[in-house]
C-alpha cells in the first residue's frame, strides 16, 4: 500500500503537467487598433483592455487578412486564406474542399468542450452551428462536463458599425464633445464625422466594461490561472474608410493575449511586452492547435506564433490582405504589409473606392462625406475616394504616414520597393492559387459539382495565364489595344474577361478608340457580355451599350451573381432610373432571388418613389 501511495505522489506532477489549458476568446466587432488607449489613442477610455495588455502582451502588428466579418471568420475557422478556399466574397455560401476542417473539430477530438456565444456566419456551405458543443447567445463554458477543458468564444457586438446608425442607436450627449475629437487627416472635417467619432469612443468604453465583466466572471469562478485569454476585433472600422478597406484603419486589429504563469512555457513573450511580430487571422487556428500540442495540419496556411509548435517568423515576412465583393459591390483588391510598408493593388481601378456597400449609408458620416463630394465642397484628397478611375497601385510608409494619405507610387526614391512588392504580390497570389482572378459570376458554370478552389488548382483553369492577364490588363499604364486583341477570342472565359476589362481601363484612361467586336457582345458568359456593353458606354456608344445592359436584365438564363454584377454596372453607369419596373417587381416577388440583387431592386424602388 505504501508503495502505491509513493507511486501516486510521484506521478501527481506529471499528471498535472498533462492537463490542457482552457482557452477564452473575447472578440469585438468593427474596431481598429487605433481606438484603444493601449494602442496610443489618448482620447480613448478603455481601462480594462489597457490593463489586460499589461497583464499579458500586445501585438503591435496584428491584421485581419480581410476587412469584413464573414470573410475573416472563414479564415480564422479553417486557418487558410479566403482566396484559396473561395470564401472571399461577403455572405456567400460557396462550397469548399472537404480537406478544410475547422479548428473546433481538432479541439473536440482532444476532449475540449467548445462553446460559441454566438456569431457564426462562416461564409461557406454547411451548418455553422453543428461544429460546436453549444452555439447560442446562452452558450457558456460553465456548462462543460466536470474535468473537461473548455474553449469558449464571447463575441460582443457593441462596437458594430450599426451602433452609429441613428435608427438603431440614437445620438445622445457623449463623453467627448464633437468639437474636441481628433479627426484623422483622411477624413473631411465635417460635423457628422466629428459626431460619429465621439459616439464611437463611447461604444468602445461600453465594450471595455463588458470585457471587464467577462474577465471578472472568469476570476470569480477560480479559472483565471488555468485559462489563456485572447482578445481581438474581427477587423477594423467602423467609421468611413475603415471597414471594407485595406488601409490599416480597416485591417489592423487590436490583439492581446494573457497567459497564466503555469502555462508561460507556451509563449516566448512576457507580461507587458509589445510584440513586433506580424500576425494575421490565418495564424489563429494553427496557434490554437499548437497551444494544445498539435502540429499545424497541412491544409492550414498560417503560422503558429505560440505553443509547443511555434514557428519563428521568416526574415521577409509580410501579411497578405484581400478584398473582393462586399455585400452588393464588386471590387477586387489585394495588399501586402510588413508593418512598415503597405502595398495595395486594385484589379478593378475603373470603379470608385466608395461605396463598397449600400449598408454603410445608414451612418451619418458616410452620408455627409458623399453629400460634400456631390456638392463640390471637398479638396482633391477627400474627393478622390468617390472618383474613377482609381490609382492601380498604392504604396505607403506607415511610419511616416500612419493614416495612409500620401501615395508614394510615383516617387522615384521608392521605385525599387514598389517593383519588389508588386512581384511579391503576384508570387503570393500564385502560391495561394488566388481564386479571385476567376470572377465570381463564372463560378457556378465552371465548377459543376466541385469547388472553385479545385478548379483553380486544375490544369483546365489556365490559372497562371489568367493571373498574368489580371496583372497586365487591370493596369491601363501597361495596356495596349494590340495586345488585348490577341486574346479577345480566347477559349478561357476568365481570360476573355480580363481582356475586356483591359479595354475598358484603356478607354477610361483616355483612349476612346477601342472597337468592340460582335463576338464580344455575344459572348457565352453574361459577365463578359455586360463588360463589353459597359465598354461601349465608356467609348461613347452610350445608347447601344445601355440597350444591351437593360436587355440583359430581362434574361432568365443568368445566375444570381451575374445579375448582381450587372446591377453594379447599372449603378456605376448611372442607369438606375432606366431599369424597367417589371424587372424590379419580378425580383421583389421572387423568393429565390439573390438577397443582394433584391437590395439593388429596393434602391431602384426608393429612387422611383422620389421621382
Amino acid at each position: 500500500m505504501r508503495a502505491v501511495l509513493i507511486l501516486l505522489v510521484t506521478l501527481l506532477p506529471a499528471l498535472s503537467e498533462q492537463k490542457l489549458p482552457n482557452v477564452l476568446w473575447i472578440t469585438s466587432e468593427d474596431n481598429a487598433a487605433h481606438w484603444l488607449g493601449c494602442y496610443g489613442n489618448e482620447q480613448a477610455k478603455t481601462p480594462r483592455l489597457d490593463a489586460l495588455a499589461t497583464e499579458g502582451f500586445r501585438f503591435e502588428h496584428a491584421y485581419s487578412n480581410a476587412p469584413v466579418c464573414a470573410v475573416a471568420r472563414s479564415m480564422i475557422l479553417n486557418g487558410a486564406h479566403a482566396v484559396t478556399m473561395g470564401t472571399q466574397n461577403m455572405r456567400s455560401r460557396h462550397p469548399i474542399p472537404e480537406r478544410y476542417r475547422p479548428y473546433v473539430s481538432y479541439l473536440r477530438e482532444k476532449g475540449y468542450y467548445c462553446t460559441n456565444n454566438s456569431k457564426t456566419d462562416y461564409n461557406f456551405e454547411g451548418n455553422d452551428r453543428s461544429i460546436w458543443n453549444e452555439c447560442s447567445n446562452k452558450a457558456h463554458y460553465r456548462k462543460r462536463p466536470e474535468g473537461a477543458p473548455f474553449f469558449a468564444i464571447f463575441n460582443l457586438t457593441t462596437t458594430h458599425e450599426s451602433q452609429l446608425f441613428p435608427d438603431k442607436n440614437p445620438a445622445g450627449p457623449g463623453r467627448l464633445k464633437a468639437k474636441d475629437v481628433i479627426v484623422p487627416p483622411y477624413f473631411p472635417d465635417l460635423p457628422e464625422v466629428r459626431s460619429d467619432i465621439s459616439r464611437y469612443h463611447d461604444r468602445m468604453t461600453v465594450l471595455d466594461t463588458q470585457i471587464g465583466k467577462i474577465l471578472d466572471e472568469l476570476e470569480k469562478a477560480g479559472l483565471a490561472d488555468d485559462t489563456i485569454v485572447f482578445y481581438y476585433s474581427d477587423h477594423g472600422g467602423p467609421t468611413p474608410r475603415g471597414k471594407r478597406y485595406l488601409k490599416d484603419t480597416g485591417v489592423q486589429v487590436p490583439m492581446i493575449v494573457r497567459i497564466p504563469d503555469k502555462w508561460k512555457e507556451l509563449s516566448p513573450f512576457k507580461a507587458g511586452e509589445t510584440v513586433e511580430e506580424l500576425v494575421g487571422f490565418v495564424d489563429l487556428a494553427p496557434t490554437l492547435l499548437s497551444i494544445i500540442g498539435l502540429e499545424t495540419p497541412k491544409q492550414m496556411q498560417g503560422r503558429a506564433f505560440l505553443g509547443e509548435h511555434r514557428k519563428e517568423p521568416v526574415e521577409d515576412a509580410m501579411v497578405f490582405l484581400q478584398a473582393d465583393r462586399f455585400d452588393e459591390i464588386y471590387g477586387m483588391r489585394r495588399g501586402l504589409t510588413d508593418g512598415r510598408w503597405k502595398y495595395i493593388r486594385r484589379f478593378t481601378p475603373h470603379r470608385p473606392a466608395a461605396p463598397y456597400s449600400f449598408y454603410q449609408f445608414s451612418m451619418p458620416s458616410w452620408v455627409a462625406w458623399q453629400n460634400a463630394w456631390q456638392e463640390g465642397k471637398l479638396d482633391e484628397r477627400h474627393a478622390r475616394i468617390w472618383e474613377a478611375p482609381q490609382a492601380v497601385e498604392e504604396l505607403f510608409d506607415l511610419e511616416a504616414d500612419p493614416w495612409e494619405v500620401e501615395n508614394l507610387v510615383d516617387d522615384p526614391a521608392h521605385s525599387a520597393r514598389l517593383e519588389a512588392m508588386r512581384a511579391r504580390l503576384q508570387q503570393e497570389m500564385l502560391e495561394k492559387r488566388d481564386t479571385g482572378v476567376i470572377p465570381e459570376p463564372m463560378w457556378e458554370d465552371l465548377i459543376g459539382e466541385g469547388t472553385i478552389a479545385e478548379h483553380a488548382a486544375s490544369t483546365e483553369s489556365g490559372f497562371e495565364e489568367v493571373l498574368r492577364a489580371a496583372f497586365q490588363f487591370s493596369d491601363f499604364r501597361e495596356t495596349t489595344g494590340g495586345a488585348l486583341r490577341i486574346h479577345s477570342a480566347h477559349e478561357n472565359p476568365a481570360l476573355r474577361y480580363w481582356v475586356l476589362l483591359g479595354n475598358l481601363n484603356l478607354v477610361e484612361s483616355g483612349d476612346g478608340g477601342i472597337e468592340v467586336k460582335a463576338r464580344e457582345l455575344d459572348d457565352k458568359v453574361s459577365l463578359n457580355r455586360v463588360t463589353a456593353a459597359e465598354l461601349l458606354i465608356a467609348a461613347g456608344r452610350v445608347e447601344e451599350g445601355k440597350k444591351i445592359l437593360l436587355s440583359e436584365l430581362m434574361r432568365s438564363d443568368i445566375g444570381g451573381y451575374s445579375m448582381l454584377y450587372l446591377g453594379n454596372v447599372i449603378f456605376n453607369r448611372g442607369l438606375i432610373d432606366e431599369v424597367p419596373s417589371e424587372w424590379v417587381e419580378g425580383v421583389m416577388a421572387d423568393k429565390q432571388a439573390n438577397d443582394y440583387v433584391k437590395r439593388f431592386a429596393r434602391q431602384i424602388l426608393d429612387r422611383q418613389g422620389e421621382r
Side-chain angles (χ1 to χ4, degrees):
M1 186 64 175
R2 183 182 178 191
V4 172
L5 288 174
I6 292 173
L7 179 61
L8 286 174
V9 171
T10 303
L11 286 175
L12 278 175
L15 290 172
S16 176
E17 289 172 6
Q18 291 174 22
K19 183 181 178 183
L20 294 167
N22 304 316
V23 182
L24 173 63
W25 277 11
I26 305 172
T27 66
S28 58
E29 298 196 336
D30 295 8
N31 56 288
H34 72 268
W35 289 101
L36 276 69
C38 58
Y39 278 87
N41 193 320
E42 296 180 357
Q43 294 192 313
K45 187 178 180 181
T46 51
R48 293 305 299 266
L49 284 169
D50 299 346
L52 185 66
T54 300
E55 297 161 7
F57 42 90
R58 177 178 67 83
F59 286 90
E60 181 69 20
H61 302 296
Y63 298 91
S64 175
N65 298 96
V68 74
C69 59
V71 180
R73 276 191 289 273
S74 75
M75 290 186 272
I76 293 172
L77 191 69
N78 293 318
H81 284 281
V83 296
T84 303
M85 296 184 288
T87 61
Q88 66 269 32
N89 296 295
M90 178 63 174
R91 296 249 160 76
S92 59
R93 283 288 181 176
H94 300 297
I96 63 175
E98 291 183 359
R99 66 178 177 272
Y100 293 108
R101 290 179 59 194
Y103 66 78
V104 186
S105 66
Y106 294 94
L107 268 67
R108 293 182 67 176
E109 288 174 357
K110 289 276 282 187
Y112 274 80
Y113 183 72
C114 298
T115 64
N116 179 43
N117 188 336
S118 63
K119 185 71 72 76
T120 52
D121 199 14
Y122 296 139
N123 220 48
F124 56 89
E125 187 178 68
N127 182 344
D128 293 355
R129 294 180 180 272
S130 67
I131 68 175
W132 299 94
N133 290 102
E134 186 183 6
C135 181
S136 72
N137 59 7
K138 296 182 179 180
H140 203 287
Y141 55 81
R142 61 173 169 258
K143 300 179 184 180
R144 70 195 184 283
E146 185 176 353
F150 69 78
F151 172 80
I153 293 178
F154 289 92
N155 185 82
L156 305 175
T157 61
T158 302
T159 53
H160 188 266
E161 67 179 329
S162 60
Q163 294 300 304
L164 292 179
F165 297 177
D167 63 333
K168 294 190 177 184
N169 184 24
R175 175 178 61 85
L176 291 170
K177 293 182 179 180
K179 69 179 181 64
D180 295 328
V181 300
I182 297 171
V183 179
Y186 66 87
F187 271 138
D189 193 343
L190 303 170
E192 294 85 353
V193 169
R194 287 183 167 273
S195 175
D196 280 353
I197 292 173
S198 171
R199 293 176 64 206
Y200 199 68
H201 274 297
D202 290 341
R203 300 315 300 167
M204 287 297 301
T205 300
V206 173
L207 169 72
D208 189 77
T209 301
Q210 291 176 325
I211 290 174
K213 290 179 179 179
I214 294 173
L215 295 175
D216 289 345
E217 183 180 33
L218 187 73
E219 186 76 38
K220 187 176 180 180
L223 295 168
D225 290 340
D226 290 305
T227 304
I228 296 173
V229 176
F230 283 71
Y231 161 70
Y232 61 89
S233 68
D234 62 349
H235 47 72
T239 48
R241 212 211 68 170
K243 184 177 183 177
R244 304 180 185 89
Y245 291 82
L246 294 185
K247 306 297 195 295
D248 274 7
T249 47
V251 295
Q252 187 184 18
V253 299
M255 184 177 291
I256 302 169
V257 181
R258 186 180 73 186
I259 298 182
D261 286 343
K262 69 184 298 182
W263 303 108
K264 62 183 179 181
E265 72 277 3
L266 295 175
S267 171
F269 312 119
K270 304 296 187 290
E273 185 174 350
T274 297
V275 180
E276 297 291 338
E277 287 186 9
L278 297 171
V279 296
F281 278 178
V282 75
D283 300 322
L284 282 172
T287 298
L288 182 56
L289 299 189
S290 177
I291 284 173
I292 66 170
L294 298 179
E295 294 186 6
T296 301
K298 62 180 181 180
Q299 78 276 8
M300 290 188 178
Q301 297 169 302
R303 174 182 72 91
F305 55 83
L306 298 173
E308 180 181 341
H309 300 286
R310 164 182 160 83
K311 290 186 177 180
E312 295 295 323
V314 297
E315 186 176 350
D316 62 344
M318 289 191 182
V319 173
F320 180 80
L321 306 170
Q322 51 214 271
D324 290 82
R325 177 179 58 76
F326 293 154
D327 298 337
E328 317 90 336
I329 310 297
Y330 280 100
M332 180 181 171
R333 292 152 287 149
R334 297 290 182 267
L336 291 172
T337 184
D338 62 5
R340 164 73 189 277
W341 297 93
K342 168 82 70 62
Y343 171 75
I344 297 173
R345 171 89 182 205
R346 288 187 179 88
F347 290 85
T348 48
H350 62 298
R351 298 281 183 250
Y356 282 127
S357 170
F358 292 140
Y359 181 72
Q360 63 200 24
F361 284 101
S362 293
M363 189 183 300
S365 50
W366 263 122
V367 175
W369 193 350
Q370 184 184 47
N371 288 343
W373 168 66
Q374 291 172 336
E375 294 166 5
K377 296 179 178 179
L378 300 178
D379 59 25
E380 190 274 335
R381 169 182 289 179
H382 296 127
R384 188 186 308 149
I385 194 171
W386 304 97
E387 297 171 349
Q390 287 283 305
V392 177
E393 296 178 302
E394 291 178 309
L395 179 67
F396 299 105
D397 178 352
L398 302 176
E399 185 175 287
D401 176 27
W403 296 112
E404 294 164 274
V405 295
E406 299 296 338
N407 185 3
L408 301 174
V409 162
D410 295 325
D411 186 339
H414 300 290
S415 59
R417 185 180 304 279
L418 174 65
E419 184 176 345
M421 294 190 82
R422 179 191 303 135
R424 173 73 175 266
L425 179 66
Q426 187 165 354
Q427 183 62 32
E428 292 276 351
M429 292 175 69
L430 176 62
E431 292 174 358
K432 290 172 175 57
R433 221 68 178 180
D434 189 327
T435 58
V437 300
I438 306 170
E440 185 188 29
M442 294 182 182
W443 288 9
E444 187 175 4
D445 292 333
L446 291 173
I447 66 178
E449 297 298 318
T451 68
I452 191 60
E454 291 162 333
H455 174 75
S458 69
T459 55
E460 68 184 45
S461 71
F463 181 83
E464 293 189 30
E465 186 177 10
V466 173
L467 177 63
R468 287 194 297 270
F471 268 83
Q472 179 184 356
F473 299 144
S474 63
D475 189 348
F476 55 80
R477 299 169 302 178
E478 299 182 8
T479 298
T480 65
L484 291 170
R485 281 285 159 240
I486 294 172
H487 298 288
S488 64
H490 200 283
E491 64 181 14
N492 189 318
L495 189 61
R496 295 200 303 274
Y497 165 76
W498 287 111
V499 168
L500 287 165
L501 193 68
N503 276 292
L504 182 56
N505 285 330
L506 196 62
V507 172
E508 296 283 28
S509 68
D511 185 344
I514 299 296
E515 180 184 0
V516 181
K517 302 288 186 181
R519 64 173 175 245
E520 294 160 353
L521 296 171
D522 294 331
D523 195 288
K524 295 178 181 179
V525 176
S526 174
L527 173 68
N528 291 341
R529 295 194 298 270
V530 168
T531 306
E534 185 177 16
L535 175 56
L536 285 178
I537 293 174
R541 295 161 63 182
V542 177
E543 291 303 317
E544 186 179 353
K546 185 196 314 182
K547 181 178 179 181
I548 294 170
L549 291 177
L550 296 178
S551 65
E552 192 78 12
L553 267 181
M554 308 309 294
R555 295 180 64 135
S556 60
D557 60 342
I558 61 175
Y561 291 109
S562 294
M563 188 66 74
L564 187 58
Y565 185 88
L566 174 57
N568 273 249
V569 175
I570 287 172
F571 172 76
N572 279 288
R573 293 297 168 182
L575 302 177
I576 284 181
D577 291 342
E578 302 191 40
V579 173
S581 59
E582 57 264 35
W583 179 84
V584 179
E585 293 167 1
V587 169
M588 298 303 293
D590 184 358
K591 295 181 179 179
Q592 304 300 316
N594 183 295
D595 287 344
Y596 291 127
V597 175
K598 282 182 177 289
R599 192 176 291 185
F600 265 115
R602 291 191 199 101
Q603 291 281 327
I604 295 168
L605 277 177
D606 291 344
R607 180 71 64 86
Q608 291 174 343
E610 294 172 0
R611 289 185 302 187

